Amino acid sequence: MTAGDEIEPVGAGEIVRVELGARSYDILIGPALTERAGEEIAKRLPESNALVVTDRNVAKHHLEPLAESLSAAGIAFNSTIIEPGEASKGFSTLERVVDAILTGRLERGDVVVAHGGGVIGDLAGFATGITRRGMNLVQLPTSLLAQVDSSVGGKTGINTSHGKNLVGLFLQPQLVVADTSVLDTLPARHFRAGYAEIAKYGLINNPDFFAWLEGHWREVFVGGSSRQRAIAVSCATKAVIVAADERETGQRALLNLGHTFGHALEAATGYSDRLIHGEAIAIGMVMAAEYSSTRGHCPADVPTAIQAHFYNVGLPTSLSQIPGGTPTSEKLMELIAQDKKVTRGRLNFILLRAIGEAFIARDVAADDIATFLAGQPAA
Ligand code: GLY
């Protein structure tokens, strides 16, 4: 699908369908959809009660319209408001959410509404999947990153002291409602970070979309129909990949473009404000492209074009731009080896043959990556 293709309209918005047989669902994308969420949930899950899981920041701006919409649709609900931030994605907050579901006497046929960014979606999704052996989940993502990535595709989970997302399950939601109006209150830095995941879809398999983004990114940042289009094309691209490989036994791994380097950078900077997820992925994608080029998989103008686009939108593109100092190549290599299984000195990587042509390289030499990292510019 290219940016110009038609997607079914929903009022002023669009619908992308994730085709997974009996577990298929719609992603609704458009302005002011929070106000319609109750009606859309009631249509798909009639007579359900709900628990809304959200965080303090999202609740301040957006809980009231959601509450009004649920009430108007006759959905009885409670809400649990947790602290914003990655620290909430752990066992103790999970227990709180599970407890809230059980205290609210929600049954298996009832619904948990995950109203927030990636932390809320992953945490509430996991609680939904394990409570009463699995209940219904609706995702109402409020960050750009969650709208184009984490709310779609069914990955849920929490972090442990051993690393991120190590405990979790696949649970597809019954519905995703991506209200593009809520992005107006998103800080610019977080919008840019989410944009990195949008550009990722162009790089994976959609060169026309990447070219369209190069020409239209300013409009995407401003809002309106271009922003909606970029989100819809991103979701549609992810939907096709997830439909073909729901549990990541093959091609779904393409969605991890930039994530091996990116995860190492996030770990090296302590998952702190120094480098937020999308920024780490932006640097990771440039590095994956540069590595692809040094190995002769793609011409040098591929990393140059990606770097130039991210530079234009204001994303970091190299290790030297990480505030507070550049992680050493040895440290990064150690973190990559922790994140990925290295078998006899080889590991899997997502690399590029061209813009819009990512592939899974199954036999990359760890030594080669170490040499590549050692050649990266320091601050
Ligand atoms: N964010 C990668 C995936 O959903 O598979």
Side-chain angles (χ1 to χ4, degrees):
M1 171 175 305
T2 68
D5 285 347
E6 280 314 306
I7 296 176
E8 198 181 332
V10 44
E14 315 192 37
I15 302 180
V16 172
R17 182 105 180 134
V18 184
E19 295 289 355
L20 285 167
R23 284 170 289 102
S24 298
Y25 55 95
D26 290 333
I27 307 166
L28 313 185
I29 302 150
L33 286 180
T34 309
E35 286 81 348
R36 288 248 315 268
E39 181 192 328
E40 297 293 342
I41 294 170
K43 236 194 271 178
R44 290 163 178 85
L45 299 165
E47 293 172 28
S48 298
N49 296 327
L51 175 74
V52 176
V53 182
T54 188
D55 72 32
R56 204 163 24 78
N57 290 341
V58 173
K60 189 164 66 192
H61 294 292
H62 310 297
L63 184 55
E64 201 177 303
L66 175 61
E68 278 170 17
S69 146
L70 293 172
S71 299
I75 299 173
F77 68 95
N78 291 317
S79 49
T80 292
I81 300 176
I82 66 165
E83 281 305 299
E86 195 72 25
S88 286
K89 212 173 125 177
F91 280 110
S92 59
T93 322
L94 175 71
E95 189 176 2
R96 249 190 79 193
V97 176
V98 169
D99 199 53
I101 296 172
L102 298 174
T103 306
R105 298 191 187 287
L106 265 69
E107 300 294 335
R108 224 176 182 187
D110 289 327
V111 57
V112 174
V113 179
H115 186 213
V119 167
I120 291 289
D122 285 6
L123 171 78
F126 185 37
T128 310
I130 59 174
T131 309
R132 299 201 188 280
R133 297 200 175 85
M135 302 169 54
N136 296 313
L137 174 67
V138 168
Q139 294 270 12
L140 249 87
T142 58
S143 69
L144 182 58
L145 189 114
Q147 292 193 354
V148 298
D149 186 15
S150 57
S151 69
V152 175
K155 282 189 179 175
T156 75
I158 57 168
N159 307 328
T160 81
S161 57
H162 296 274
K164 280 183 80 169
N165 300 324
L166 289 178
V167 176
L169 44 72
F170 286 95
L171 178 75
Q172 299 297 341
Q174 265 70 28
L175 171 70
V176 179
V177 181
D179 179 350
T180 51
S181 305
V182 304
L183 301 176
D184 294 341
T185 56
L186 197 65
R189 183 182 178 194
H190 287 263
F191 190 89
R192 270 199 302 275
Y195 179 87
E197 298 277 3
I198 290 182
K200 181 186 80 177
Y201 295 109
L203 297 177
I204 290 174
N205 67 7
N206 200 334
D208 293 347
F209 183 43
F210 190 80
W212 182 83
L213 289 171
E214 287 180 308
H216 293 79
W217 67 268
R218 284 186 186 78
E219 290 140 59
V220 173
F221 276 64
V222 167
S225 62
S226 293
R227 177 184 288 180
Q228 181 175 304
R229 180 110 290 254
I231 296 171
V233 174
S234 298
C235 289
T237 307
K238 180 160 185 178
V240 169
I241 293 174
V242 168
D245 178 22
E246 185 181 4
R247 289 183 162 250
E248 198 172 308
T249 54
Q251 294 297 298
R252 183 167 177 164
L254 293 174
L255 296 171
N256 300 332
L257 175 66
H259 282 59
T260 300
F261 290 127
H263 282 165
L265 294 175
E266 281 184 279
T269 48
Y271 302 103
S272 67
D273 234 28
R274 278 172 67 197
L275 195 68
I276 56 178
H277 178 72
E279 294 170 338
I281 298 316
I283 299 175
M285 287 191 281
V286 173
M287 289 171 75
E290 278 172 353
Y291 179 75
S292 304
S293 163
T294 62
R295 299 303 300 162
H297 296 300
C298 69
D301 59 2
V302 169
T304 305
I306 299 170
Q307 196 269 343
H309 182 53
F310 290 170
Y311 174 82
N312 287 340
V313 307
L315 280 163
T317 58
S318 77
L319 297 185
S320 59
Q321 286 170 282
I322 300 173
T326 313
T328 64
S329 58
E330 292 79 15
K331 180 73 194 162
L332 290 177
M333 202 54 226
E334 185 191 314
L335 291 165
I336 287 172
Q338 245 167 45
D339 186 45
K340 304 220 98 180
K341 200 160 124 239
V342 181
T343 315
R344 284 189 287 281
R346 326 289 290 185
L347 66 168
N348 293 344
F349 247 87
I350 312 305
L351 300 179
L352 289 172
R353 288 202 182 90
I355 285 180
E357 204 183 322
F359 68 101
I360 306 171
R362 298 209 181 272
D363 205 18
V364 174
D367 283 352
D368 238 26
I369 297 289
T371 309
F372 170 76
L373 286 171
Q376 291 294 299

